[in-house]
Amino acid sequence: MALSVISIILVIVVAFLAGMEGILDQFQFHQPLVACSLIGLVTGNLEAGVILGGYLQMIALGWANIGAAVAPDAALAAVASAIILVLGGQGEAGVATAVAIAIPLAVAGLFLTMIVRTIAVPLVHLMDAAAEKGNIRRIELLQIFCLILQGSRIAIPAAALLFIPAETVKEALNTMPEWLTTGMAIGGGMVVAVGYAMVINMMANREVWPFFIIGFVVAAISQLTLIALGALGIALALIYLNLSDRGSASNGGNSGDSLDDILNDY
Amino acid sequence: MSDIIQIDNSENKIKLTKKDRLSVAWRSTFLQGSWNYERMQNGGWVYAMIPAIKKLYPMKEDRSAALKRHLEFFNTHPYLAAPVFGVTLALEEERANGAPVDDVTIQGVKVGMMGPLAGVGDPVFWFTVRPMLGALGASLALSGNVLGPILFFLLWNIIRWGFIWYTLEFGYRTGSKITDNLSGGLLQKVTKGASILGMFVLAALVQRWVSIKFQPVVSSVKLDHGAYIDWSSLPSGTEGIQQALVGLQNGLSLTQEKVTTLQNNLDQLIPGLVPLLLTFFCMWLLRKKVSPIVIIIGLFIVGIVGHLIGLL
């Protein structure tokens, strides 16, 4: 599908926002659910974009940069795969392939952000020099320049993708055999587990495992929506916190948390 | 020169107005903009502090010293930086008004707060709120519902901005006394509550959204006559369709054989058992320091090969 000039400009703007947010992590423009939907919107493929965003969001739920662990980059994965989906012109049918293409792109994005974070070191040294002279304007400009670099990290690859003729993308997608696309769709269903595993590994301890078991069993009741499950989880957390408060208070606080011990021994 | 007269006059202190504090809070959005491998969030930190520094230190030497002071190493969760900003603003205000607050105190407060706060922000925002809102939005989006992304974006940003502004003001009002408040166990409680909620919701997500289906047929039993819809003996036209649908509603099988796949057997044990085992396997691999990227690519290969041999 050939894009109009306005669409191309808007796609690059969305890509730039996603790139900045990839480092800022504030408004969440880099999350696939938002980025893919926006690209779908500005290119007139809203529904396909929203669906792709939903699939990728499920995969990327657990991706977060914590400490030394560097997660795959959601920004480039979301933006580039959405562009390929749009250029391929298959609409919703192309979603499974786009999801599979997104994964290697997430790795590429990871290296790009590492490069920009390294380039930022000498730029911060320039800030030191500006501080010495009390030059506030210059510090602000350097900060904005760093941010522009992060935005370009996604905007430039996105612009490059837009220059590939839609026909070429379409042909490349059509030459993919059925066994490959179906197989990748099956893989996509399993890949979701990796993100969850990352998060569970961060939070799990003896105290909270019982809540995992409850959540797993209760989720099999398909009438319960996610909102209902969330409400149930909040209620459980509040009950537990109140009870453990009461347990330690009636104990005179001598052994710390008695309910903890009971639950742990149980 | 009027600024200097103000400093000497203790009843006419320089105060940071609500507008100044709002400006710092807004600029803290860009805290990670110049994230670097050397001093991490230091550039973003000084960028956010600039409105306050401009207001508090009109003299060039003081300004330069303040800028350098705030270019020291800093790194925490980007939202949990807000209370640290609040406390630092209170300290800088006192210092500008002549109180004996030295560089070591300010840097000490920053470094002392950033570690514990990052330990709260990660489980609360990245492991609990975002997976929850993300899954909620994504589950709507999968059916093409535009409400999915809109809901996710709005809810997240309302929570985020509310949190940043409230905690920055809290830090500013409490000042350096904040460490007393925080040691009251509130932070531990919030973290624990978030972990409980997070584990509960994640388990539900594993059950619902990790999809893996085993195709092999375990058994194929021929059904008795009358237990399935006999397509050949149906009357033709709409009457036949009606009869078939009635049969279906009465629990008749569509085929002459009852096919049980490996998946059916596993689901009878407990629905979602295989996704659960897969998740545990991924956790084990991650703990063995296998890169998540390697696992992801590996799973795609398993998917393709499994499909080719008819297993998945």
Side-chain angles (χ1 to χ4, degrees):
Chain A
M1 192 180 124
L3 295 172
S4 69
V5 180
I6 297 168
S7 288
I8 288 176
I9 292 169
L10 288 174
V11 167
I12 293 173
V13 169
V14 172
F16 192 79
L17 281 175
M20 293 202 302
E21 275 292 305
I23 188 79
L24 295 178
D25 230 332
Q26 301 269 353
F27 294 96
Q28 308 297 307
F29 284 116
H30 65 304
Q31 291 293 304
L33 191 52
V34 181
C36 294
S37 301
L38 283 177
I39 288 178
L41 178 71
V42 299
T43 56
N45 288 273
L46 183 57
E47 193 167 354
V50 169
I51 294 172
L52 174 66
Y55 273 103
L56 284 178
Q57 189 68 42
M58 282 294 177
I59 295 177
L61 275 187
W63 293 0
N65 293 317
I66 296 108
V70 202
D73 179 57
L76 187 64
V79 168
S81 63
I83 292 174
I84 290 169
L85 177 73
V86 168
L87 290 178
Q90 296 175 328
E92 288 171 39
V95 168
T97 319
V99 169
I101 292 171
I103 302 304
L105 290 167
V107 185
L110 180 65
F111 287 113
L112 288 176
T113 184
M114 282 159 76
I115 292 170
V116 179
R117 286 172 186 215
T118 310
I119 295 173
V121 174
L123 291 169
V124 170
H125 282 269
L126 289 177
M127 282 192 196
D128 289 336
E132 194 73 50
K133 296 197 189 83
N135 190 340
I136 285 179
R137 191 78 206 121
R138 184 149 190 178
I139 293 181
E140 290 178 332
L141 287 175
L142 281 165
Q143 172 77 10
I144 292 164
F145 182 68
C146 286
L147 198 51
I148 290 173
L149 283 184
Q150 287 284 2
S152 312
R153 169 178 77 91
I154 307 296
I156 292 173
L161 267 181
L162 287 169
F163 271 102
I164 303 174
E167 283 306 315
T168 317
V169 176
K170 211 178 276 181
E171 273 167 35
L173 290 177
N174 283 338
T175 50
M176 284 175 81
E178 185 276 340
W179 58 265
L180 187 62
T181 47
T182 313
M184 286 198 295
I186 294 170
M190 298 193 286
V191 159
V192 179
V194 180
Y196 300 152
M198 287 167 79
V199 178
I200 296 170
N201 262 346
M202 296 283 179
M203 286 201 296
N205 59 46
R206 281 182 68 186
E207 204 177 353
V208 296
W209 269 117
F211 295 99
F212 184 88
I213 299 171
I214 301 175
F216 183 77
V217 174
V218 170
I221 308 169
S222 54
Q223 283 101 323
L224 291 178
T225 62
L226 276 175
I227 295 174
L229 286 171
L232 198 55
I234 290 171
L236 281 175
L238 288 176
I239 293 171
Y240 183 81
L241 289 178
N242 277 331
L243 283 180
S244 47
D245 255 9
R246 210 174 289 173
S248 55
S250 65
N251 239 4
N254 53 357
S255 74
D257 210 332
S258 61
L259 190 82
D260 260 14
D261 300 336
I262 295 168
L263 275 183
N264 284 339
D265 295 340
Y266 192 63
Chain B
M1 291 307 281
S2 63
D3 286 334
I4 293 169
I5 295 162
Q6 269 190 332
I7 294 168
D8 292 338
N9 185 347
S10 57
E11 283 172 9
N12 232 336
K13 286 183 177 177
I14 316 180
K15 288 292 274 180
L16 291 170
T17 60
K18 188 175 175 189
K19 193 169 156 253
D20 298 328
R21 301 197 299 273
L22 264 175
S23 172
V24 171
W26 162 246
R27 280 177 174 233
S28 82
T29 304
F30 306 105
L31 180 65
Q32 309 212 79
S34 56
W35 201 102
N36 60 89
Y37 283 117
E38 191 184 83
R39 277 168 285 165
M40 304 194 175
Q41 297 168 340
N42 70 330
W45 177 273
V46 78
Y47 177 78
M49 285 296 291
I50 280 172
I53 292 173
K54 267 186 181 166
K55 177 83 169 262
L56 294 172
Y57 302 107
M59 304 295 289
K60 196 186 161 213
E61 300 84 61
D62 294 342
R63 239 179 221 197
S64 167
L67 291 171
K68 279 196 280 184
R69 180 160 68 238
H70 289 293
L71 269 166
E72 291 298 325
F73 174 90
F74 189 76
N75 195 37
T76 191
H77 186 284
Y79 309 168
L80 269 296
V84 192
F85 272 116
V87 174
T88 311
L89 288 177
L91 288 175
E92 283 290 353
E93 196 180 69
E94 284 176 36
R95 178 182 168 127
N97 286 312
V101 179
D102 59 10
D103 294 7
V104 181
T105 312
I106 291 176
Q107 185 62 12
V109 166
K110 280 167 63 181
V111 173
M113 286 178 79
M114 69 188 191
L117 287 177
V120 178
D122 292 339
V124 172
F125 285 102
W126 297 159
F127 303 156
T128 305
V129 182
R130 191 157 73 188
M132 276 179 70
L133 293 182
L136 176 68
S139 61
L140 291 171
L142 289 180
S143 56
N145 190 338
V146 189
L147 264 184
I150 293 175
L151 212 57
F152 170 76
F153 185 77
L154 284 183
L155 286 177
W156 178 270
N157 281 294
I158 290 168
I159 294 172
R160 174 183 69 89
W161 180 251
F163 178 87
I164 287 178
W165 177 240
Y166 175 79
T167 54
L168 186 137
E169 285 293 274
F170 179 76
Y172 176 74
R173 271 184 276 115
T174 340
S176 48
K177 289 197 296 292
I178 198 168
T179 35
D180 305 337
N181 286 326
L182 293 183
S183 59
L186 179 69
L187 284 187
Q188 286 89 328
K189 270 176 94 170
V190 170
T191 313
K192 196 188 279 181
S195 303
I196 290 171
L197 181 57
M199 287 296 273
F200 180 85
V201 171
L202 279 167
L205 293 177
V206 167
Q207 205 276 349
R208 294 218 175 153
W209 296 111
V210 177
S211 102
I212 171 165
K213 284 199 171 60
F214 289 109
Q215 301 294 352
V217 173
V218 178
S219 67
S220 176
V221 185
K222 240 188 159 44
L223 291 168
D224 295 335
H225 195 74
Y228 57 89
I229 298 168
D230 194 353
W231 295 98
S232 53
S233 65
L234 285 177
S236 60
T238 48
E239 202 185 326
I241 297 173
Q242 190 196 7
Q243 199 175 328
L245 288 176
V246 169
L248 186 66
Q249 206 168 24
N250 291 336
L252 295 187
S253 172
L254 290 171
T255 51
Q256 291 193 27
E257 278 138 11
K258 186 180 187 305
V259 179
T260 310
T261 62
L262 182 56
Q263 189 69 32
N264 295 139
N265 281 354
L266 291 167
D267 280 344
Q268 273 172 1
L269 290 175
I270 180 166
L273 181 65
V274 184
L276 184 68
L277 292 177
L278 177 68
T279 309
F280 285 159
F281 180 60
C282 291
M283 285 170 62
W284 180 76
L285 286 176
L286 288 166
R287 286 185 188 179
K288 293 276 167 219
K289 300 275 174 266
V290 181
S291 152
I293 301 289
V294 173
I295 305 177
I296 289 173
I297 293 170
L299 284 176
F300 271 110
I301 294 170
V302 170
I304 295 165
V305 173
H307 174 63
L308 280 176
I309 61 174
L311 179 68
L312 294 170

